[in-house]
Structure formats: structure tokens, C-alpha cells
Amino acid sequence: MGSTSITFLNGINALCVSISGFIGGFLLKFITIRQLGLIAAIFLNLGSFAVIFVNSKLVLFICHGFLFSIGHGLLTIISYTIITAYFLKRRLLSFSLCQSVSAVAALFSPQLVQFALNFYGFRGTLMLLSAINLHTFVAVCLMQPVAWHLKKSEIRNDTEMKLLLHNNTKNEITVNVIEEDVEKKNFDTAIKDKVDSDLNSAKNRLNTFRKEVVKAIDLRLLRSFLWSNAALGLAICGSSDLIFGFILPQVLYSMNLTANQVTLGVSMLSLGELITKIMFILFNNMLVKFKSVQILSIGIFIAVVTRIGMVMSKNVAAILAFLAIMGASRSTIFVLIPLVIGDAVKPEQFTSATGIFMLAFGFTNLIIAPTIGAVRDLTDSYPAAIYILTTCFGIMFISYVVEMYTKRNRKK
């Protein structure tokens, strides 16, 4: 496939992941996490297995771009939701541990895949990867509802006990009044149903269904959260970092680095990312004293400085050093995404908010990626594309600083 087809496939992947993540938040209001996880595992493994037999671009777009990406998006939002539900004080530690495992796998998987290609061939390697993906069925079956592990605690304070009993008495009276209102309303509704025609009854059912859908989608949250720093701001940062990772090898080649130096540069980026995640684990008790937005802002600032430093450097050692430090910014941004979202919304809104973020992430990726490609083609310069991506980080850094300053003064 040519570069156009590959770019189009990446766009389909991003769009399907974002849309499935948004729909996943909607579906979790009707089915359990484990049920949705099984659906996601079916999509992911069906796409992974079908890729083994692909012989055309169209079938590849359907299997990998559609089926596999839908499963990927659903599993992402499920993982974010269940980790956030299980951990309150140690969310940073839990997400750091999970993503550290992914970072370690990213360091060794290229060598393992190359070995599998030499030993099993192309189709055999795809079959091996498909077999590994079957473990997602085991993973979703092990996802237990957090309610199974909650423990009840006794209230020993007499004053609090009296207040609790007083509130319970009020609640019982309120429940009785509500039950009477419900019975009266049901009686009036029954009389109305006998008088109304079948057409009006069908219209009422349609309106009820529409209200339930609107309630499940949570349009009020969509309008308010979509344009916030926790949704659109994170989406811009994530998309800019992802696009930078795609074009990084070409950028390094344009800076006259050899193939071995380019490979070392990419490895330094991954190494810096892994070290940062390990530091999150080791210094978790210290970092919990800071707000997630504050840590994220530091990561964005590092992203701005290191990208400018890399483009302006002429020395190979300096470029590699900037790439290693750049891995810290990438790790910070992607580890802090669920934490920033969790701090911005109520716990019961986290799944819907994550779906909204994934939707914003998909569309910003579709907008920014072609723009960067067009700038690269028009200017014939990779530094120009890097400066635009760095500008995106700079704008979001200023936006987060303004947000933190405004909230602090509002509390005062």
C-alpha cells in the first residue's frame, strides 16, 4: 500500500476507536461491564483473526480498520472505567503500573515480532498475534464489579446515629408520599390510555424512548464537557503527540541521522517513557499531593521545550538526549488522561466523559493529521510541521495555566 492508503487506514482506526469509545459509555448504562467487555473481545478477536486471510485493501480496512478498532475502543473505555472505580487514592499508581507493562512490551515486541517473522512467516506471525489477543476473553471475565468488594462500616457516634435515624424517618415519609403520587399518576395514565387513540399511544411510546436515549447519552454533559480542557484540550495534546510519533523517523532522517541513529532515537523515546512510568510508581506517595492537572501541565511544558530543542540541535547526542526527556512528557500526558477526566466530572459521569474525550480525540486526529501532512508537502520541511505541533502544546499549556489560576482565585 502507498502512503495515502496507510494514512487512510490510520484515520479509519482513529475514527472507529473514538466512536466505539463514545458508544461504549452509552451502552454501559444498559448492560454490565463484563457483558460489554465480551462484546468488545469478540470484535477485537474477529478482526485480528480475519486479518490472517486478508488479500485486498478493502478487506483489510474492514477487518483491521473497523472490527479490530471497535473492539480496541470499547476495551479502552472499559479499562479506564474499572480502574477508576477500583482505585480512589492510588489511581496514579494503578494507571502507572498498567501502562508500565505496556511500555515494557513496546520495548521487546519489535524484536519478538521480527523473530516470529523469520521463524513462522508473515501469516504465521499474524496467527500467533491473534492467539495472544484471545487472552482478552480471560481479562474481561476477571473484571468483577466493585460493589462485590465494598465493605459496610458501622457508625459509632450517637449524634451521627440520631441524625441518620432522623433522615431515614424523613426518607420513609417521602417514599410514602412518592408512592401515593405514583399510584395516582398510574391511575390517571390508565384512564388516558383508554381514551386516547392508538396513534397517540404510539407517539407517547416514541417520546418515552427518545427521552431515555437522550438521558443515556447525557447531552448536557456532552455540551459542557466537550469544549473543556479535560476533553478537547487533552484530545489536542494526545493527537499532537500521536502524530509526532508517526512522523518522528522521517524527521530524524531529514536531520541527516543514519538508520542506526534513528532506531536508537526511537528507543531513547521509549526508554524515557518507561523510566517516567517507573518513577510514577516509586514516587506515587509524593505525587498524590499534587493535582493531576498540575502534573499534566509540567508534562506539556516539557513537550514544548524538548521538541524545540530537538529541531534546533545539530549534535546527535543532544538530539538523543532531548528524545529521552521527551519520553517523560509523552508518559505524563497519557498516564494523566484518565486522572484528569476523573477529577473534572462526577464518578457516575466518568464513563460518559471518557467516551466524549475519545470522540474528541478521534476527530481532532482526523483534523490535525491531514493539516500536518499538507504543511509538510507545501513547505517540504519537517521542522515546520514540528513547530505547528509544538504550538498546539504551547496553546494548551497556557490554557491549563489560566484554568488553574482562575480556579484558585475563585476558591479564595
Side-chain angles (χ1 to χ4, degrees):
M1 294 196 305
S3 59
T4 303
S5 299
I6 295 175
T7 305
F8 183 63
L9 178 60
N10 291 332
I12 294 177
N13 289 338
L15 184 62
C16 289
V17 168
S18 61
I19 292 177
S20 62
F22 178 74
I23 295 176
F26 169 77
L27 293 176
L28 282 177
K29 297 185 178 182
F30 300 97
I31 59 179
T32 64
I33 287 181
R34 187 175 293 177
Q35 291 172 342
L36 184 60
L38 289 174
I39 295 174
I42 291 173
F43 270 99
L44 185 138
N45 284 279
L46 182 61
S48 177
F49 181 75
V51 168
I52 300 173
F53 309 100
V54 163
N55 285 312
S56 66
K57 290 191 291 185
L58 177 61
V59 180
L60 178 63
F61 289 162
I62 295 174
C63 296
H64 190 274
F66 180 72
L67 294 176
F68 185 88
S69 297
I70 285 181
H72 184 196
L74 292 175
L75 285 176
T76 299
I77 193 170
I78 290 170
S79 301
Y80 281 175
T81 300
I82 200 160
I83 294 176
T84 303
Y86 264 86
F87 296 92
L88 296 177
K89 296 181 180 179
R90 296 188 176 183
R91 285 179 180 172
L92 178 60
L93 176 62
S94 61
F95 279 107
S96 299
L97 282 170
C98 293
Q99 296 201 21
S100 295
V101 175
S102 300
V104 172
L107 284 176
F108 296 102
S109 58
Q111 290 80 9
L112 295 176
V113 169
Q114 186 61 48
F115 171 78
L117 285 171
N118 296 331
F119 195 79
Y120 297 107
F122 173 64
R123 304 285 178 182
T125 302
L126 287 175
M127 190 176 298
L128 179 63
L129 294 175
S130 178
I132 294 175
N133 286 331
L134 288 173
H135 288 82
T136 52
F137 285 105
V138 180
V140 297
C141 290
L142 293 175
M143 290 181 176
Q144 299 178 354
V146 68
W148 291 6
H149 303 278
L150 294 179
K151 296 181 180 180
K152 296 181 180 180
S153 58
E154 296 181 357
I155 301 176
R156 297 182 179 180
N157 192 321
D158 295 337
T159 304
E160 294 180 356
M161 182 64 72
K162 292 178 181 179
L163 181 61
L164 181 61
L165 292 175
H166 181 66
N167 290 335
N168 287 339
T169 304
K170 284 186 175 181
N171 291 335
E172 290 177 0
I173 296 174
T174 304
V175 170
N176 291 333
V177 174
I178 292 174
E179 288 178 352
E180 292 178 359
D181 292 340
V182 171
E183 291 178 359
K184 185 177 181 301
K185 186 177 180 180
N186 291 337
F187 179 74
D188 294 339
T189 303
I191 296 177
K192 185 178 179 179
D193 289 340
K194 293 180 181 180
V195 177
D196 290 342
S197 63
D198 294 338
L199 180 61
N200 290 332
S201 298
K203 186 182 295 185
N204 290 334
R205 289 194 296 270
L206 180 61
N207 291 334
T208 302
F209 175 75
R210 187 180 302 168
K211 290 179 180 178
E212 291 295 329
V213 172
V214 171
K215 182 179 178 181
I217 296 177
D218 202 347
L219 292 178
R220 182 177 298 178
L221 178 65
L222 178 62
R223 296 191 190 100
S224 61
F225 183 71
L226 178 61
W227 306 106
S228 65
N229 282 336
L232 186 59
L234 281 175
I236 293 175
C237 292
S239 298
S240 300
D241 196 277
L242 185 66
I243 294 168
F244 176 83
F246 282 143
I247 66 174
L248 178 60
Q250 287 76 22
V251 173
L252 296 178
Y253 278 121
S254 68
M255 299 174 70
N256 298 322
L257 269 68
T258 63
N260 292 333
Q261 291 172 341
V262 171
T263 303
L264 181 59
V266 176
S267 299
M268 292 297 292
L269 181 66
S270 300
L271 181 62
E273 185 177 353
L274 176 60
I275 292 175
T276 304
K277 291 175 180 177
I278 295 176
M279 292 178 64
F280 278 144
I281 298 173
L282 297 178
F283 299 100
N284 172 70
N285 294 330
M286 296 176 56
L287 293 174
V288 292
K289 299 178 182 179
F290 300 93
K291 294 183 179 180
S292 56
V293 177
Q294 295 174 336
I295 303 174
L296 177 68
S297 300
I298 295 174
I300 296 175
F301 178 76
I302 295 174
V304 174
V305 174
T306 52
R307 280 161 175 75
I308 294 176
M310 186 197 73
V311 174
M312 297 181 64
S313 298
K314 302 298 182 182
N315 185 274
V316 176
I319 294 174
L320 296 177
F322 278 119
L323 286 172
I325 302 174
M326 197 182 299
S329 67
R330 164 173 286 193
S331 177
T332 302
I333 291 172
F334 284 99
V335 169
L336 269 293
I337 283 177
L339 302 180
V340 173
I341 296 175
D343 292 341
V345 298
K346 299 177 181 178
E348 61 271 15
Q349 294 177 326
F350 175 80
T351 303
S352 298
T354 305
I356 295 172
F357 158 74
M358 295 181 67
L359 188 66
F361 178 80
F363 281 100
T364 52
N365 188 56
L366 288 177
I367 294 173
I368 297 176
T371 303
I372 296 300
V375 170
R376 162 67 184 85
D377 294 337
L378 290 174
T379 61
D380 195 24
S381 171
Y382 279 105
I386 298 299
Y387 283 132
I388 293 177
L389 294 176
T390 306
T391 302
C392 293
F393 282 110
I395 293 173
M396 296 319 306
F397 173 74
I398 296 173
S399 181
Y400 275 108
V401 171
V402 171
E403 178 185 344
M404 290 187 291
Y405 178 79
T406 304
K407 288 184 176 180
R408 187 181 64 179
N409 288 339
R410 187 182 301 169
K411 290 181 180 180
K412 291 182 180 180

